[in-house]
Amino acid sequence: FAPRHLLSIADLTPAEFSTLLSNASSHKASIKSGVTPAALAGKLSGKTIALMFSKRSTRTRVSTEAAVTSMGGHPMFLGSGDIQLGVNESLYDTSVVISSMVSAMVARVGAHAEVADLAKHSSVPVINALSADFHPLQTIADFVTIQETFGKEKVQGLKVAWVGDANNVLFDLAIGCLKMGVDIAVAAPAGYTIPAAMKQLILASAPEGSTAKLTETNVPEEAVKGSNILVTDTWISMGQEEESAKRLKAFAGYQITEELAKRGGAKDGWRFMHCLPRHSEEVDDEVFYGKRSLVFPEAENRLWAAISALEGFVVNKGKIV
Ligand code: CP
Ligand code: NVA
């Protein structure tokens, strides 16, 4: 019996994605009011969840570890210095062995093929904790934040502007946007735009009849025009450190500032989001720490997203209800 995995938001129907968001929000409300929902209490009791990280992490590590603990499970953190993950042993061997001993694997890897390989050979659910292509747990948290901020009924028809590197965080966010009827405009410099195959996958995620659009430009102001939410991420993702000088040069002019939003014509009351970790080159302090910023509630929502994903994929074995 093949387990169901969460490798990308593309793995979810729009209805399943919405359900994961509602579950995250309702669990957040219950737990914050001091009540652990019966759907979660002790549901991972006696179970070990392997958290396999080949890269650094603050939010993903803390949120997944805390999420497992909140359901009574044991989060077993395995960093790159602890286990063979893509080094000294095939991913096939690692996956078969670890999945024979735990109830799920949460994995942060380099190339997406690594987490796909783990999933292919695993006898238990695998949740992608960031690969070169996708970051589904981040997108769940981002949409919980968007729903909380704008109201659930007002999400459809919003416009998101992504200004910066077309990377893993963007790809799942764009898929989420099209599934939820949200327009997404991407401004990235030439050479750092969405690869053709990824663009196809993003476009294919819009349900039939959806009018939500993905648009691309090299001009930040064009993406910003009429947008409700401005989003960015680091220009130098983990593993790209050697390209730093080249990237800083290529992205000059892409910093999110009040001035850019004004020049581009963002909607009144526009808000700012960032998955973190943040560097000042992609967004200045005024925006990042200002009243428009959603970055800290967004980061907190990583916990509720992790709880919701573990409930759906581990407790309920991929039945998202
Ligand atoms: N946003 C995010 O995934 O952060 P970490 O790399 O700190 O986990
Ligand atoms: N794009 C970043 C996201 C980190 C959460 C990276 O891949 O390093």
Side-chain angles (χ1 to χ4, degrees):
F1 191 71
R4 187 175 181 199
H5 310 291
L6 176 61
L7 302 190
S8 161
I9 297 299
D11 298 337
L12 302 165
T13 65
E16 287 174 330
F17 183 42
S18 287
T19 301
L20 287 177
L21 302 178
S22 327
N23 290 346
S25 297
S26 73
H27 294 331
K28 176 178 181 177
S30 304
I31 294 172
K32 285 196 149 190
S33 73
V35 180
T36 302
L40 303 180
K43 291 290 180 180
L44 294 179
S45 170
K47 296 188 192 298
T48 297
I49 311 299
L51 309 178
M52 302 148 70
F53 282 58
S54 67
K55 289 177 173 177
R56 282 189 311 273
S57 168
T58 297
R59 282 138 289 266
T60 311
R61 192 241 164 116
V62 175
S63 62
T64 52
E65 189 158 337
V68 171
T69 305
S70 75
M71 289 182 244
H74 172 59
M76 180 186 278
F77 183 77
L78 302 164
S80 57
D82 301 317
I83 56 160
Q84 329 274 4
L85 183 57
V87 283
N88 196 35
E89 177 168 76
S90 74
L91 285 162
Y92 175 93
D93 295 358
T94 302
S95 179
V96 170
V97 171
I98 296 184
S99 71
S100 73
M101 303 183 197
V102 303
S103 298
M105 294 191 270
V106 175
R108 170 166 287 198
V109 299
H112 185 70
E114 295 175 24
V115 70
D117 234 21
L118 283 176
K120 189 170 165 195
H121 306 298
S122 170
S123 55
V124 298
V126 173
I127 295 178
N128 180 4
L130 180 80
S131 68
D133 289 356
F134 301 109
H135 199 4
L137 295 172
Q138 183 69 48
T139 301
I140 297 168
D142 288 354
F143 266 90
V144 169
T145 312
I146 292 170
Q147 289 186 339
E148 284 173 345
T149 306
F150 291 87
K152 205 169 162 180
E153 312 70 35
K154 301 213 175 109
V155 169
Q156 193 173 346
L158 291 176
K159 179 181 173 186
V160 167
W162 177 280
V163 178
D165 189 23
N167 65 14
N168 41 13
V169 173
L170 166 67
F171 301 149
D172 256 340
L173 178 65
I175 291 167
C177 283
L178 293 197
K179 285 189 191 289
M180 298 302 279
V182 170
D183 287 339
I184 178 152
V186 178
Y192 299 92
T193 56
I194 307 174
M198 184 59 73
K199 194 171 170 183
Q200 282 310 110
L201 180 76
I202 296 169
L203 292 172
S205 54
E208 233 174 80
S210 161
T211 53
K213 294 183 300 290
L214 164 71
T215 52
E216 286 187 279
T217 174
N218 301 130
V219 182
E221 288 83 351
E222 279 179 18
V224 163
K225 196 172 168 48
S227 61
N228 306 91
I229 308 164
L230 273 57
V231 194
T232 192
D233 183 14
T234 182
W235 296 341
I236 302 147
S237 281
M238 288 181 275
Q240 298 174 334
E241 292 78 6
E242 280 179 12
E243 298 171 33
S244 294
K246 197 174 123 213
R247 284 178 164 267
L248 288 175
K249 210 165 140 204
F251 287 94
Y254 280 73
Q255 188 193 44
I256 295 186
T257 60
E258 285 284 346
E259 183 49 36
L260 169 65
K262 202 164 166 193
R263 248 187 358 256
K267 280 258 166 69
D268 283 347
W270 64 272
R271 307 304 297 267
F272 174 74
M273 295 177 67
H274 189 310
C275 63
L276 314 183
R278 167 256 181 177
H279 309 86
S280 52
E281 60 259 18
E282 69 261 12
V283 54
D284 71 359
D285 280 356
E286 186 186 11
V287 171
F288 187 81
Y289 292 110
K291 63 181 190 317
R292 301 180 182 283
S293 180
L294 297 172
V295 298
F296 295 118
E298 178 184 5
E300 183 201 316
N301 283 333
R302 292 295 309 274
L303 172 63
W304 312 110
I307 288 177
S308 179
L310 286 164
E311 178 191 22
F313 283 84
V314 186
V315 176
N316 296 332
K317 304 196 177 341
K319 199 158 183 283
I320 314 295
V321 288

